[in-house]
Amino acid sequence: MNLLTYIVLFVITAYTFGFGVTLWKEKQKSSAMAVFFLCLTIIVLPFFTII
């Protein structure tokens, strides 16, 4: 079950990071930084809740 959780989190993180890159290329730097912060939160938060 943990493997499935990590796979789903990886897919969500990759999609969110890709969206942030798209925003960065469209010169929306502040929005991209917010999305990158959200991506970082998605990576860090499970270590406090799952384990």
Side-chain angles (χ1 to χ4, degrees):
M1 189 65 174
N2 275 345
L3 181 63
L4 179 65
T5 303
Y6 287 122
I7 290 171
V8 169
L9 286 173
F10 176 74
V11 169
I12 292 171
T13 304
Y15 185 80
T16 307
F17 187 78
F19 180 64
V21 169
T22 303
L23 286 174
W24 190 271
K25 287 181 181 179
E26 292 177 0
K27 307 295 185 205
Q28 298 179 4
K29 306 278 190 215
S30 60
S31 300
M33 292 302 289
V35 170
F36 289 141
F37 180 73
L38 176 66
C39 190
L40 180 66
T41 304
I42 291 171
I43 294 170
V44 171
L45 192 62
F47 290 110
F48 294 114
T49 58
I50 295 173
I51 297 175

